[in-house]
């Protein structure tokens, strides 16, 4: 059994823009140390933690070539790629919404997509049992022609289309457990019956106007998109119940050749951009569940903005994927215990999920 870990130092060098948290600096908004929440530190610290515990040494650590223009054109129109490349060559800037980038941003984003592509191809070829791509910038919000939410290229979309073009697979499923709606991946495959897209997210977090349960796909794709919006705060119990009762049965029915997880960690309890209460154990348990559902799985890193907690959540995922004995004990375990919700809250969550299950079965 071998687990691949695809990463590149240059992905940590992506950056740009003058932000104070989510706000552009200006007027009464004072500049802030660190700028955008999408900083390199969450990802770099995950890699560092794996090096320190020794988990890295048990994985197949590797880089990958950037996604090339043909790869990107399968998802993004030439007009968008040309404009992005021109602004990147001119020193950087910002397109869309909250997606600043610096000089060379186009090349770094292509590299990020290339890591996802290489991870999916390696697993489908049987070179690895499973794989993790430490992609940065993230991808799941990026529409074909509109970057948003820190995402400049749709990494998972590019990876799926590259695998299809190579003749390695025909049926793909995407499970997005980032706390935000995977609106970009949904948009890329909304008309398609050969790619099942599922997003479990906090209801009306980001984007505010997408991610409804009623959005099931269009045309041939009708029935092949599933949004599972959860009320804020349901955390551990809510995420596992959403997987058990809705997401995993849908994936099992679809029987994909490969399952790609848009692996964000912003459902974690102390994330500044989410209001959920998941823990490292939640992510480990979700990983175990997807491994028990589909043979070939690939994780592509998305959001997650707690510099202290993302490394431990990611380490738990990679320990589970690799079957390693090397553990990084959760330092927040006592702060965020896996409490069962209060009975009235449990009943509320059950009601929310039961309504969705009833519609799917009806
Ligand atoms: Zn997110």
């Amino acid at each position: 059994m071998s687990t691949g870990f695809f990463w590149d130092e240059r992905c940590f060098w992506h950056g740009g823009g003058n932000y104070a948290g989510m706000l552009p600096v200006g007027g009464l908004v004072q500049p802030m140390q660190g700028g955008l929440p999408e900083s390199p530190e969450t990802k770099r610290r995950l890699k560092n933690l794996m090096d320190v515990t020794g988990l890295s040494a048990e994985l197949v650590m590797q880089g990958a070539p950037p996604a090339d223009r043909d790869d990107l054109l399968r998802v993004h129109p030439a007009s968008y790629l040309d404009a992005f490349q021109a602004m990147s060559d001119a020193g950087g800037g910002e397109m869309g919404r909250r997606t600043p980038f610096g000089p060379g941003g186009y090349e770094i984003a292509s590299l990020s997509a290339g890591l996802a592509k290489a991870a999916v191809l390696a697993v489908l070829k049987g070179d690895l049992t499973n794989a993790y791509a430490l992609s940065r910038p993230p991808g799941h919000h990026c529409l074909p022609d509109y970057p948003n939410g820190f995402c400049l290229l749709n990494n998972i979309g590019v990876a799926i289309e590259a695998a299809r073009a190579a003749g390695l697979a025909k049926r793909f499923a995407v499970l997005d457990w980032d706390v935000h709606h995977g609106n970009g991946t949904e948009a890329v495959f909304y008309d398609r019956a050969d790619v099942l897209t599922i997003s479990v997210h906090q209801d009306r977090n980001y984007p505010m106007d997408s991610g409804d349960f009623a959005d099931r796909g269009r045309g041939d794709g009708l029935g092949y998109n599933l949004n599972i919006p959860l009320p804020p705060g349901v955390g551990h119990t809510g995420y596992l119940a959403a997987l058990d009762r809705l997401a995993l049965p849908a994936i099992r029915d679809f029987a994909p050749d490969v399952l790609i997880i848009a692996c964000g960690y912003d459902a974690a309890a102390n994330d500044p951009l989410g209001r959920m209460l998941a823990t490292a154990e939640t992510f480990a348990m979700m990983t175990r569940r997807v491994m028990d559902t589909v043979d070939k799985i690939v994780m592509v890193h998305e959001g997650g903005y707690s510099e202290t907690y993302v490394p431990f959540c990611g380490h738990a995922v990679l320990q589970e994927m690799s079957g390693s004995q090397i553990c990084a004990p959760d330092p927040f375990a006592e702060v965020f215990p896996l409490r069962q919700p209060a009975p009235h809250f449990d009943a509320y969550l059950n009601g929310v999920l039961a309504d969705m299950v009833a519609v799917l079965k009806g």
Side-chain angles (χ1 to χ4, degrees):
M1 181 167 172
S2 60
T3 294
F5 187 86
F6 292 79
W7 74 288
D8 192 301
E9 173 64 28
R10 285 168 291 183
C11 283
F12 303 143
W13 297 4
H14 163 66
N18 189 8
Y19 275 80
M22 302 298 288
L23 300 172
V25 167
L28 295 176
V29 179
Q30 181 181 327
M32 179 187 281
Q33 187 82 22
L36 268 188
E38 204 291 296
S39 87
E41 285 309 292
T42 50
K43 287 87 177 173
R44 183 181 270 130
R45 287 169 66 109
L46 167 57
K47 163 72 169 48
N48 288 346
L49 181 64
M50 291 162 52
D51 290 347
V52 168
T53 62
L55 182 58
S56 298
E58 295 190 358
L59 310 182
V60 183
M61 307 292 283
Q62 55 196 291
D68 63 26
R69 189 167 168 95
D70 287 344
D71 292 325
L72 303 182
L73 280 170
R74 294 188 195 102
V75 173
H76 299 284
S79 55
Y80 171 62
L81 298 176
D82 291 344
F84 180 13
Q85 171 111 60
M87 192 178 285
S88 171
D89 290 349
E94 181 160 4
M95 306 165 70
R97 182 174 169 77
R98 295 203 183 97
T99 50
F101 54 91
Y106 182 88
E107 283 72 24
I108 297 177
S110 300
L111 186 54
S112 181
L115 297 176
K117 171 190 165 185
V120 171
L121 263 56
V123 169
L124 283 171
K125 286 177 185 167
D127 297 340
L128 297 164
T129 307
N130 53 37
Y132 191 105
L134 189 60
S135 293
R136 180 175 184 269
H140 74 142
H141 291 307
C142 189
L143 279 63
D145 60 353
Y146 185 76
N148 69 106
F150 318 139
C151 300
L152 285 150
L153 296 170
N154 195 290
N155 300 329
I156 289 177
V158 169
I160 286 175
E161 291 304 324
R164 180 196 320 287
L168 292 171
K170 290 195 169 83
R171 294 172 72 77
F172 301 83
V174 180
L175 172 60
D176 187 323
W177 67 42
D178 188 283
V179 82
H180 306 108
H181 176 224
N183 58 315
T185 316
E186 174 185 276
V188 170
F189 298 113
Y190 205 57
D191 300 294
R192 297 262 294 268
D194 56 341
V195 183
L196 172 68
T197 48
I198 301 178
S199 177
V200 185
H201 49 266
Q202 183 187 324
D203 194 20
R204 291 177 177 76
N205 179 325
Y206 181 86
M208 291 285 284
D209 59 352
S210 72
D212 284 351
F213 176 71
D215 299 340
R216 300 296 322 282
R218 182 176 50 213
D220 289 348
L222 188 60
Y224 296 95
N225 184 68
L226 175 59
N227 288 319
I228 308 172
L230 296 174
V234 297
H236 180 80
T237 310
Y239 264 76
L240 291 177
L243 261 60
D244 289 344
R245 293 172 64 176
L246 288 155
L248 298 179
I251 292 166
R252 237 174 255 121
D253 286 348
F254 183 75
D257 299 319
V258 60
L259 170 62
I260 303 166
I261 292 94
C263 186
Y265 298 100
D266 35 18
N270 63 346
D271 196 279
L273 302 189
R275 299 290 181 271
M276 286 294 180
L277 291 166
T279 68
E281 181 67 10
T282 316
F283 291 101
M285 291 174 73
M286 291 198 294
T287 302
R288 172 45 49 195
R289 278 161 161 77
V290 295
M291 290 173 71
D292 288 343
T293 303
V294 179
D295 285 343
K296 294 183 185 293
I297 69 157
V298 176
M299 301 272 180
V300 178
H301 197 111
E302 297 286 356
Y305 306 98
S306 166
E307 293 180 12
T308 50
Y309 208 9
V310 166
F312 290 92
C313 295
H315 197 285
V317 165
L318 281 148
Q319 187 192 349
E320 196 68 46
M321 288 176 74
S322 62
S324 174
Q325 297 300 307
I326 297 177
C327 176
D330 180 357
F332 291 103
E334 290 188 7
V335 185
F336 309 131
L338 298 179
R339 289 194 195 94
Q340 291 298 314
H344 68 279
F345 196 76
D346 202 19
Y348 170 56
L349 173 65
N350 276 329
V352 168
L353 292 173
D355 286 350
M356 291 191 247
V357 170
V359 171
L360 288 187
K361 288 192 170 158

